[in-house]
């Protein structure tokens, strides 16, 4: 038997209460960690972007196109090894309720710029040979239950009408966090289908591969300067910056998520503190006995705090464990909208910190009371 | 030199603006190996005196020397350490920890010593054997009778081999037969194991078993007698 | 026989610290709940306040929003000529063919967002209720714009006299406008013809027409959508904007429910613990009450009432704490319209009532088990 035995025995005394407190803590920590994970992933969407790829879009905004004519000049730049272009298609499938990304690309250059798109060579060859072919992410295939070589019809929102494609390739992500739910097809096919709608000679954006990431900002500035006074001025930035800009669209959602996280922590702190105080109050006579036996004030306080710590630790293991299960293992991703949700070591550490804080805050008053307890008052009876 | 030397000890309690005197300049000595009974009516201050001897409270005036050490000068942390080594306390209401077994309860004071786990357990088992409860070691207090609980309390009080055993009305909550057993045990501890015992009681039969009695009345000591008979025939 | 309520009141007040802690726990849950409902509500309100049911809203068929839509001049002319369209005194149709784009522009804090820019026709203020709150309306044919009061002050270069650059041209902000709290207040308006030349060429994105007789909606809709030359789709303007909020609104509501449900579970655990301890500590009192003749059900009701009472205190506190949130403005990108949308937290009496109801439910659920246990406690065990 050790001091640990005493602490554990005390926790077992009112098992239901201990379990409820631990569960309450676990629930709160799960929520807290989930919110932080969501926030963190949103903020690091930009990290998936590469520093050695530049995105050139219309300065006015992503909804405005760029002339295909820019390509030749940009490709000739010193420091640029590959140029590709792509256009947002915005197609829907079936009843149109399930969102996915669809865009037309310049295939060879695009795939060589994105080694993260992993495609078996024979599928790539089949795609290149079929101008109506499509390369689809594995997650999207699963969602709609498509099969390789199946012909699917997408309804255009920007380019009206129904457009047929044949799935020639299924890609997976070669890098963690890279999206696996996109639909890509030949840019030429898009130009063909939209010839009468004024889409000729236009593209949505360019992607450049630069040989030296250090030179990327300089190259971006040069390109933007070239076209500054044209009818389609450009804005060039690293892919990382481009992705981060999308995160910025969410506004102060980060602030709100943090606020909610705080409220959660406070609420559970009330619960934990209450429980600790109740337990301690019931045991004042025992604490007096311990002091009689010679346990010092400090030692008695430590016992109370350790009890609070054990409860917190159990709650942390459960709550953090559940979160890691949901995000890291099952890989829940909010229906495809936020891929790559994952509890990082930093987030786990913050969760542990919160659990520690709750333990200390809820245990400090009962511990202090225990330390100050006078034996003669607690064990008072007729003399 | 006496084991315990109480010199001019007074205790006054402050309750709001009221001062309540409980002990008034009490002085006496206890020799090693004595079995002393502290007697007196309710409110006479005997429990307070016991608490002072245990270092659970501080006198308002006076000194208490135990084994040559003046415990009234010790700070709270040192006092706790002192108490763990020198005092074994037996309560009227046993005060066992309900979530621990008898054995674990007896082991509790040993957590404050440098003994290893196996050694602690051995000492506790020995103490339980002395009080005759070795077959109930793993029972919880709620599974024991009143008398058995008190015996565990005694085992706990002796397990650290303390200088002093202080017992506060240990038989107050027991029936006649159990009370008798407890007293026998205390006498044995005193005669066979040479433990110095201070017993607070208002039961004259219990006092009879002691080697000496002190009488307190309204916080002051009456004369001291040997063999439990107060001078002047008061009983 | 009913146990008098004064007993419960006294018991609650007798343990101020415990009661306060439990109530605070409930308060924070209710605060979060009300806050999130207010957010979702504010968002919904902004879009519902947009558009009228007697305005016809036209997009290209197949387009899921204004951004992906395109309507030609000739189609616009045909629609203007429809007899069902209401007319002004001088015979001009109450209609507006709009150019709609979103332009990357910075907010005050530097973060970039998509500023919705709408080029409207000359009758725009007739077909939509728009009120100039500062400065003046822009003049057709000039490089002038007015900024909705939702954007003014939240985005850079939106004060009176500032210049907004679109492509090669600078536009002067000559006025601010209000639109009944609707989505238009998050837009910048200018003259359609002028903006057309800057943006995407001679194509409108949408058209809005006032119906002289609202009941003719179905007939007109059928006629327009049935005409194969036109390739257009028709909705009520109010319906269109309400639909534009559906996705984001659902997500906000989902998050609200998810977060609050989980928090509530935690708080209920806390409530159970508290009530449990209270019941245990008052075992003697309960036994006494039973001895006096109060039945098990009275005891159950009594403790349940107490639990609900404490939870209600927390609920009221939570609502009070939430009140300052009302009116705080925030903004985000509406994924469907692709443009920035500003809206304000909107607390309504219904939301507050929902918060209180939620607190009551937490009190009931949390108190049920302990109260039931209290009612089942045998006399003997209580008086031991």
């Amino acid at each position: 038997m050790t001091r640990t035995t005493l602490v554990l025995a005390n926790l077992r005394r009112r098992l239901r209460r201990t379990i409820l407190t631990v569960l309450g803590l676990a629930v709160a920590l799960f929520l807290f960690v989930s919110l932080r994970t969501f926030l963190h992933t949103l903020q690091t969407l930009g990290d998936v972007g590469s520093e050695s790829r530049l995105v050139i879009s219309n300065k006015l905004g992503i909804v405005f196109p760029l002339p295909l004519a820019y390509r030749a000049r940009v490709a000739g730049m010193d420091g640029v090894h590959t140029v590709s272009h792509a256009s947002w298609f915005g197609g829907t499938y079936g009843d149109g309720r399930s969102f996915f990304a669809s865009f037309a690309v310049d295939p060879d250059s695009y795939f060589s710029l994105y080694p993260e798109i992993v495609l078996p060579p024979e599928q790539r060859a089949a795609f290149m040979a079929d101008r109506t072919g499509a390369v689809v992410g594995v997650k999207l295939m699963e969602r709609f239950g498509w099969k390789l070589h199946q012909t699917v019809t997408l309804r255009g929102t920007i380019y009206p009408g129904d457009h047929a494609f044949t799935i020639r390739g299924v890609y997976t992500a070669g890098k963690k966090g890279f999206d696996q739910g996109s639909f890509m097809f030949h840019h030429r096919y898009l130009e063909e289908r939209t010839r009468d709608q004024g889409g000729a000679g236009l593209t949505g954006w360019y992607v450049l591969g630069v040989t030296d990431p250090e030179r990327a900002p300089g190259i971006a500035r040069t390109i933007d300067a070239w076209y500054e006074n044209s009818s389609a001025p450009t804005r060039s930035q690293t892919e990382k910056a481009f992705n981060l800009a999308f995160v910025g669209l969410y506004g102060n959602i980060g602030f709100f998520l943090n606020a909610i996280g705080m409220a959660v922590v406070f609420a559970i702190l009330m619960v934990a503190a209450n429980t600790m105080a109740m337990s301690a109050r019931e045991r004042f006579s025992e604490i007096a006995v311990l002091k009689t036996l010679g346990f010092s004030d400090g030692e008695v306080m430590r016992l109370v705090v350790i009890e609070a710590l054990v409860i917190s630790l159990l709650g942390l293991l459960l709550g953090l464990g559940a979160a890691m299960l949901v995000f890291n293992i099952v890989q829940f991703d909010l229906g495809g909208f936020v891929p790559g949700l994952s509890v990082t070591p930093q987030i786990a550490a913050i969760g542990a910190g919160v659990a520690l804080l709750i333990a200390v805050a809820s245990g400090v008053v009962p511990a202090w009371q225990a330390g100050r307890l006078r034996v003669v008052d607690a064990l008072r009876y007729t003399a | 030199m006496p084991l315990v030397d109480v010199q001019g000890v007074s205790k006054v309690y402050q309750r709001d603006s009221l001062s309540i005197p409980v002990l008034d300049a009490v002085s006496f000595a206890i020799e090693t190996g004595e079995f002393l009974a502290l007697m007196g009516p309710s409110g006479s201050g005997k429990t307070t005196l016991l608490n002072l001897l245990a270092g659970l409270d501080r006198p308002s005036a006076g000194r208490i020397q135990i084994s040559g050490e003046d415990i009234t000068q010790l700070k709270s942390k040192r006092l706790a350490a002192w108490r763990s080594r020198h005092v074994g306390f037996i309560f009227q209401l046993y005060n066992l920890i309900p979530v621990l077994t008898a054995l674990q309860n007896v082991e509790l004071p040993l957590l404050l010593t440098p003994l290893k786990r196996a050694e602690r357990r051995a000492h506790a088992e020995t103490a339980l054997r002395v009080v005759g409860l070795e077959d109930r070691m793993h029972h919880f207090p709620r599974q024991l009778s009143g008398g058995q609980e008190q015996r565990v309390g005694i085992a706990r009080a002796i397990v650290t081999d303390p200088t002093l055993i202080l017992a506060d009305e240990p038989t107050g909550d027991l029936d006649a037969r159990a009370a008798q057993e407890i007293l026998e045990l205390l006498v044995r501890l005193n005669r066979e194991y040479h433990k110095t015992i201070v017993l607070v009681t208002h039961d004259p039969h219990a006092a009879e078993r002691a080697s000496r009695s002190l009488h307190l009345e309204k916080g002051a000591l009456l004369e001291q007698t040997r063999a439990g008979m107060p001078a002047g025939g008061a009983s | 026989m009913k146990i008098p309520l004064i007993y419960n009141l006294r018991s609650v007040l007798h343990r101020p610290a415990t009661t306060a802690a439990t109530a605070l726990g409930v308060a924070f849950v209710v605060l979060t709940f009300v806050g999130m409902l207010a957010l979702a509500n504010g968002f919904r309100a902004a879009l519902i306040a947009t558009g009228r049911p007697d305005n016809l809203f036209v997009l290209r068929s197949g387009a899921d929003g204004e951004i992906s839509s395109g309507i030609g001049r000739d189609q616009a002319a045909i629609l203007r000529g429809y007899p069902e369209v209401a007319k002004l005194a001088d015979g001009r149709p109450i209609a507006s063919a709009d150019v709609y784009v979103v332009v990357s522009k910075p907010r005050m804090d530097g973060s970039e967002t998509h500023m919705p820019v709408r080029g409207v026709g000359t009758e725009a203020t007739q077909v939509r209720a728009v009120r100039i709150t500062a400065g003046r309306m822009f003049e057709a044919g000039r490089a002038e714009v007015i900024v909705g009061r939702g954007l003014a002050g939240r985005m850079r270069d939106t004060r009176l006299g500032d210049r907004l650059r679109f492509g090669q041209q600078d536009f002067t902000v000559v006025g601010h406008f209000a639109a009944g709290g609707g989505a238009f207040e998050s837009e910048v308006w200018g003259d359609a013809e002028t903006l057309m030349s800057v943006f995407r060429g001679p194509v409108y994105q949408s058209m809005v027409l006032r119906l002289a007789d609202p009941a003719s909606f179905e007939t007109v809709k059928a006629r327009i959508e049935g005409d194969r030359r036109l390739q257009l789709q028709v909705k009520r303007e109010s319906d269109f904007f309400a639909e534009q909020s559906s996705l984001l609104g659902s997500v906000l509501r989902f998050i609200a429910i998810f977060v609050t449900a989980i928090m509530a579970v935690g708080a209920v655990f806390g409530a159970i613990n508290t009530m449990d301890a209270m019941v245990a500590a008052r075992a003697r009192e309960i036994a006494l009450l039973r001895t006096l003749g109060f039945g098990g059900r009275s005891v159950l009701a009594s403790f349940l009432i107490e639990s609900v009472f404490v939870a209600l205190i927390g609920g009221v506190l939570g609502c009070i704490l939430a009140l300052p949130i009302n009116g705080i403005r925030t903004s985000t990108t509406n994924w469907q319209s692709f443009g920035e949308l500003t809206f304000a937290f909107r607390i309504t009496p219904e939301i507050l009532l929902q918060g209180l109801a939620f607190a009551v439910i937490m009190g009931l659920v949390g108190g049920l088990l302990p109260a039931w246990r209290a009612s089942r406690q045998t006399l003997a065990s209580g008086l031991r």
Side-chain angles (χ1 to χ4, degrees):
Chain A
M1 129 107 178
T2 57
R3 278 175 179 74
T4 317
T5 318
L6 185 57
V7 168
L8 289 177
N10 275 325
L11 287 174
R12 267 207 304 277
R13 173 201 306 263
R14 288 209 185 278
L15 195 58
R16 188 175 54 244
R17 172 187 301 168
T18 303
I19 288 179
L20 283 176
T21 312
V22 167
L23 282 179
L25 256 169
V27 158
L29 284 168
F30 170 76
L31 194 55
F32 183 77
V33 168
S34 299
L35 286 170
R36 276 229 99 95
T37 302
F38 189 69
L39 197 58
H40 172 84
T41 306
L42 275 186
Q43 284 165 345
T44 56
L45 274 179
D47 287 352
V48 179
S50 160
E51 293 259 311
S52 47
R53 285 194 290 256
L54 281 179
V55 173
I56 307 180
S57 55
N58 192 313
K59 187 172 177 184
L60 266 180
I62 192 72
V63 303
F64 297 95
L66 290 172
L68 274 170
Y70 287 6
R71 189 191 169 114
R73 189 170 182 197
V74 170
M77 270 190 90
D78 174 44
V80 174
H81 62 73
T82 314
V83 177
S84 186
H85 61 264
S87 295
W88 184 260
F89 178 64
T92 60
Y93 180 73
D95 61 7
R97 284 182 182 286
S98 190
F99 168 82
F100 61 93
S102 54
F103 41 100
V105 303
D106 183 50
D108 257 334
S109 54
Y110 199 83
F111 290 139
S112 74
L113 272 181
Y114 283 95
E116 294 94 329
I117 301 177
V118 173
L119 197 59
E122 70 276 8
Q123 289 182 10
R124 181 165 167 164
F127 170 68
M128 294 304 295
D130 180 357
R131 85 185 198 296
T132 69
V135 168
V136 181
V138 61
K139 280 256 154 86
L140 194 58
M141 296 290 288
E142 279 166 27
R143 204 202 300 182
F144 291 127
W146 290 335
K147 302 270 182 296
L148 198 55
H149 303 304
Q150 183 179 340
T151 303
V152 300
T153 306
L154 298 187
R155 171 157 300 172
T157 53
I158 308 173
Y159 308 100
D162 291 337
H163 305 267
F165 303 90
T166 313
I167 300 177
R168 292 296 178 198
V170 179
Y171 78 88
T172 51
K175 191 173 166 192
K176 188 165 192 254
F178 194 80
D179 159 69
Q180 294 186 114
S182 295
F183 187 105
M184 293 175 277
F185 59 95
H186 289 268
H187 203 269
R188 278 207 208 289
Y189 187 51
L190 178 67
E191 291 171 51
E192 219 176 276
R193 305 278 306 175
T194 62
R195 210 189 309 274
D196 328 313
Q197 291 164 31
L202 293 173
T203 184
W205 67 90
Y206 288 98
V207 187
L208 308 182
V210 299
T211 37
D212 179 9
E214 302 267 307
R215 298 187 53 197
I219 294 174
R221 273 196 298 274
T222 311
I223 296 177
D224 288 348
W226 280 347
Y227 298 110
E228 197 175 329
N229 296 312
S230 71
S231 56
T234 59
R235 176 203 250 131
S236 309
Q237 50 193 328
T238 61
E239 197 184 38
K240 220 178 171 94
F242 182 74
N243 287 345
L244 273 176
F246 267 98
V247 174
L249 293 181
Y250 285 109
N252 38 6
I253 200 173
F255 171 73
F256 286 126
L257 288 180
N258 271 327
I260 296 172
M262 299 286 306
V264 168
V265 170
F266 267 118
I268 205 60
L269 185 59
M270 292 296 114
V271 170
N274 218 8
T275 309
M276 284 304 302
M278 284 190 300
S279 300
R281 248 205 306 277
E282 288 168 2
R283 297 210 313 267
F284 280 159
S285 63
E286 280 176 36
I287 291 175
V289 169
L290 288 176
K291 288 199 180 182
T292 313
L293 295 179
F295 284 80
S296 69
D297 294 347
E299 285 189 308
V300 159
M301 286 173 74
R302 267 198 291 283
L303 280 174
V304 174
V305 172
I306 288 176
E307 239 183 80
L309 279 170
V310 169
I311 292 182
S312 265
L313 183 66
L314 288 173
L316 177 69
L317 286 174
L318 268 179
L320 187 61
M324 292 182 93
L325 184 71
V326 165
F327 295 115
N328 296 21
I329 301 194
V330 171
Q331 304 220 328
F332 175 68
D333 63 358
L334 236 87
F337 266 112
V338 193
L341 282 173
S342 159
V343 181
T344 64
Q346 289 94 325
I347 294 178
I350 294 179
V354 167
L356 180 65
L357 179 74
I358 290 178
V360 168
S362 65
V364 78
V365 168
W368 184 77
Q369 283 177 326
R372 296 254 308 171
L373 183 72
R374 278 164 48 81
V375 178
V376 290
D377 293 330
L379 296 178
R380 181 172 289 283
Y381 43 87
T382 55
Chain B
M1 196 184 72
L3 182 65
V4 178
D5 197 0
V6 178
Q7 298 161 7
V9 159
S10 301
K11 179 71 187 175
V12 178
Y13 279 118
Q14 292 288 127
R15 281 276 168 272
D16 306 323
S17 49
L18 270 124
S19 296
I20 305 170
V22 180
L23 289 174
D24 183 20
V26 171
S27 298
F28 64 95
I30 309 178
E31 303 293 332
T32 314
E34 274 205 71
F35 187 164
L36 179 69
L38 269 182
M39 299 192 59
S42 191
S44 54
K46 39 190 208 302
T47 295
T48 305
L49 185 53
L50 203 70
N51 287 340
L52 289 175
L53 287 176
L56 290 173
D57 203 354
R58 273 190 216 292
S60 315
R63 290 200 310 170
I64 301 179
Q65 302 238 44
I66 301 186
S67 288
E69 205 170 356
D70 183 353
I71 64 169
T72 53
Q73 297 303 314
L74 291 178
K75 290 278 189 312
S76 131
K77 199 164 164 188
R78 296 272 320 273
L79 198 52
W82 174 86
R83 189 162 55 246
S84 70
R85 270 199 301 282
H86 294 275
V87 172
F89 211 105
I90 304 168
F91 300 88
Q92 176 176 356
L93 293 176
Y94 333 129
N95 282 326
L96 300 180
I97 311 254
V99 297
L100 297 177
T101 62
L103 182 63
Q104 289 170 332
N105 265 291
V106 174
E107 268 190 81
L108 205 47
L110 295 174
L111 288 179
L112 298 164
T113 66
L115 290 176
K116 301 237 191 335
R117 201 167 171 179
E119 290 170 327
R120 291 202 294 263
R121 210 194 146 99
H123 276 72
E125 282 176 9
T126 309
L128 279 167
R129 213 169 296 127
V130 167
V131 305
L133 273 182
E134 62 266 30
D135 54 339
R136 292 253 197 279
M137 278 199 246
H138 300 295
H139 287 216
F140 287 95
R142 61 175 181 276
Q143 296 167 313
L144 301 172
S145 72
Q148 288 167 333
E149 282 194 74
Q150 191 58 290
R151 280 196 266 166
V152 176
I154 294 176
R156 178 178 68 189
I158 62 174
V159 77
T160 53
D161 199 20
T163 312
L164 260 185
I165 296 185
L166 305 174
D168 193 348
E169 311 244 25
T171 57
D173 216 50
L174 300 170
D175 63 58
R177 215 190 56 141
Q180 183 75 339
E181 285 174 7
I182 295 298
L183 280 173
E184 298 285 339
L185 189 48
L186 288 176
V187 167
R188 236 180 78 218
L189 287 173
N190 178 244
R191 301 261 163 79
E192 281 177 41
Y193 297 88
H194 308 294
K195 310 303 293 180
T196 312
I197 303 181
V198 178
L199 172 72
V200 161
T201 181
H202 57 252
D203 176 7
H205 295 295
E208 261 169 44
R209 317 298 299 270
S211 55
R212 180 162 74 113
S213 302
L214 287 178
H215 286 258
L216 279 175
E217 202 153 326
K218 294 211 195 37
L221 263 185
L222 300 180
E223 330 78 85
Q224 312 186 23
T225 62
R226 293 262 154 211
M229 294 301 296
S235 60
Chain C
M1 201 155 63
K2 287 262 159 43
I3 299 174
L5 285 175
I6 193 77
Y7 164 67
N8 298 116
L9 182 63
R10 283 267 180 92
S11 302
V12 163
L13 293 175
H14 187 60
R15 292 177 173 273
T18 314
T19 306
T22 314
L24 264 176
V26 170
F28 277 112
V29 176
V30 169
L31 170 64
T32 313
F33 185 59
V34 168
M36 304 202 76
L37 280 185
L39 182 70
N41 190 39
F43 176 74
R44 221 182 93 253
L47 281 150
I48 281 192
T50 312
R52 303 164 55 124
D54 59 347
N55 274 355
L56 216 58
F57 194 80
V58 184
L59 292 171
R60 180 169 61 193
S61 75
D64 58 357
E66 293 184 89
I67 287 282
S68 36
S69 167
I71 299 179
R73 283 195 199 278
D74 42 349
Q75 289 165 310
I78 293 176
L79 289 175
R80 251 190 245 274
Y82 274 35
E84 290 86 350
V85 175
K87 296 188 180 32
L88 294 170
D90 58 9
R92 282 181 296 155
I94 302 179
S96 176
D98 293 351
V99 173
Y100 180 84
V101 294
V102 289
V103 178
S104 288
K105 285 282 178 216
R107 299 191 185 99
M108 288 307 282
D109 64 7
S111 62
E112 284 245 327
T113 186
H114 292 154
M115 172 193 270
V117 179
R118 184 181 296 276
V120 298
T122 37
E123 285 76 43
T125 49
Q126 304 293 336
V127 68
R128 285 173 173 142
V130 152
R131 173 174 66 87
I132 299 288
T133 55
R136 60 170 173 83
M137 185 62 172
F138 59 82
E139 276 183 37
R142 298 178 77 124
E144 295 175 346
V145 289
I146 52 175
V147 176
R149 68 174 170 181
L151 285 188
R154 290 187 68 87
M155 297 201 65
R156 295 205 182 148
D157 303 326
T158 52
R159 291 164 309 182
L160 290 180
D162 280 343
R163 295 242 250 256
L164 280 168
R165 194 173 184 84
F166 299 135
Q168 298 301 91
Q169 204 166 2
D170 275 340
F171 283 75
T172 313
V173 178
V174 298
H176 291 165
F177 69 94
F184 299 133
E185 293 186 358
S186 304
E187 295 179 353
V188 170
W189 281 19
D191 172 43
E193 299 301 317
T194 319
L195 285 171
M196 238 183 192
S197 59
V198 171
F199 290 142
R200 288 156 106 179
V203 160
Y204 301 108
Q205 267 65 57
S206 66
M207 194 159 179
V208 61
L209 309 123
R210 175 77 56 82
L211 286 174
D213 172 18
S216 62
F217 175 75
E218 291 299 331
T219 345
V220 183
K221 174 180 160 95
R223 187 171 348 129
I224 296 177
E225 289 182 345
D227 190 339
R228 306 208 118 257
R229 298 169 303 159
L230 290 177
Q231 293 281 330
L232 297 172
Q233 58 171 311
V234 175
K235 292 190 191 335
R236 291 187 199 274
E237 190 189 24
S238 46
D239 287 344
F240 171 72
F241 283 101
E243 281 166 27
Q244 290 273 286
S245 76
S246 58
L247 186 61
L248 193 50
S250 313
V251 169
L252 285 179
R253 250 190 314 279
F254 169 75
I255 294 180
I257 293 174
F258 174 74
V259 167
T260 334
I262 294 190
M263 278 184 82
V265 168
V268 162
F269 285 155
I272 295 180
N273 263 346
T274 313
M275 285 302 302
D276 236 4
M278 292 233 275
V279 165
R282 283 148 69 179
R284 280 185 168 266
E285 287 173 38
I286 297 170
L288 194 67
L289 290 170
R290 300 292 298 275
T291 320
L292 290 178
F294 291 98
R297 232 179 304 194
S298 299
V299 172
L300 174 72
S302 176
F303 274 92
L304 216 45
I305 288 174
E306 219 175 287
S307 177
V308 168
F309 181 52
V310 172
L312 206 53
I313 294 177
V316 170
L317 185 61
C319 285
I320 293 178
L321 285 175
L323 286 178
I325 296 178
N326 194 29
I328 294 183
R329 295 201 80 94
T330 183
S331 66
T332 187
T333 304
N334 184 358
W335 303 325
Q336 284 167 293
S337 73
F338 217 55
E340 173 94 339
L341 183 68
T342 63
F343 53 98
F345 280 87
R346 266 258 207 124
I347 298 182
T348 64
E350 286 85 17
I351 287 180
L352 288 177
L353 275 175
Q354 283 172 329
L356 286 178
F358 194 39
V360 167
I361 292 176
M362 279 195 279
L364 274 174
V365 174
L368 194 60
L369 196 57
W372 182 78
R373 232 195 295 274
S375 71
R376 298 263 310 194
Q377 182 190 296
T378 61
L379 279 169
S381 61
L383 291 171
R384 195 174 14 202

